Amino acid sequence: MAFLNDLDETDLKILDTIQRNPPMTTAELAEHVGMSQSPCWRRLTRLKEEGYIVDQVTRLSAERLGLRTNIFANVKLSAHGQSNLNEFIEAVSRIPEVMEVHPTMGPFDFLLRIVTRDVEDYRELAFGRLLTLPTVQEINSTMSLGPVKMTTALPIR
């Protein structure tokens, strides 16, 4: 498996460019990083094959789509066996409003980032779906007042 130390400055420039810019053609990328198209395409292909590039997606506006409520929910499980962990992860992974699932250390077991239209939708999700999961003991929710900074760009350079 390759790691960041295996990347040269050109690789880092390619990765940083594609993560900060909308989808671009290989020709546009090559021009932006200062190289010809064929070598740029080969490097891009290698970076994908080695797993540095997971996917390339289009970010949608949650606000324009009416998804204005962001909740961070700390979840404590009733038991910590592997089957309970797997059951919980599988259950919350099927809920479209759950955008991220992070196992955590500390008083709670998981941190969920949840997006809904409004507080009422979140209440229905929390009481109707999350708290009914047999593995869930407790949920502590915090509502975001809105992002001040939100990025998908990793600090690679």
Side-chain angles (χ1 to χ4, degrees), residues 128-144:
R129 290 159 62 194
L130 292 176
L131 284 170
T132 61
L133 295 174
T135 56
V136 173
Q137 176 181 329
E138 177 184 349
I139 299 175
N140 185 318
S141 303
T142 302
M143 185 172 86
S144 168

Side-chain angles (χ1 to χ4, degrees), residues 7-114:
L7 302 177
D8 64 16
E9 188 60 30
T10 303
D11 290 333
L12 293 174
K13 198 174 200 180
I14 289 170
L15 291 172
D16 199 44
T17 299
I18 65 172
Q19 79 171 346
R20 293 180 187 278
N21 294 288
M24 29 176 37
T25 66
T26 306
E28 292 169 327
L29 176 61
E31 183 178 328
H32 196 274
V33 299
M35 60 189 315
S36 61
Q37 186 173 348
S38 291
C40 183
W41 179 84
R42 284 192 296 277
R43 281 181 182 253
L44 191 60
T45 300
R46 179 180 53 79
L47 291 167
K48 288 177 182 178
E49 288 171 353
E50 291 178 356
Y52 287 102
I53 300 168
V54 177
D55 57 21
Q56 293 175 276
V57 299
T58 300
R59 285 183 49 207
L60 303 179
S61 168
E63 178 79 19
R64 294 281 304 184
L65 293 166
L67 300 167
R68 294 182 172 90
T69 304
N70 286 281
I71 304 290
F72 294 91
N74 287 294
V75 179
K76 186 174 193 173
L77 300 183
S78 55
H80 295 94
Q82 192 63 46
S83 63
N84 278 0
L85 296 173
N86 291 340
E87 183 180 339
F88 174 77
I89 292 168
E90 288 172 18
V92 295
S93 294
R94 289 191 298 268
I95 301 172
E97 294 88 350
V98 176
M99 305 301 294
E100 297 177 34
V101 179
H102 299 268
T104 60
M105 295 173 62
F108 291 94
D109 301 305
F110 288 91
L111 173 66
L112 309 181
R113 185 171 75 86
I114 299 169

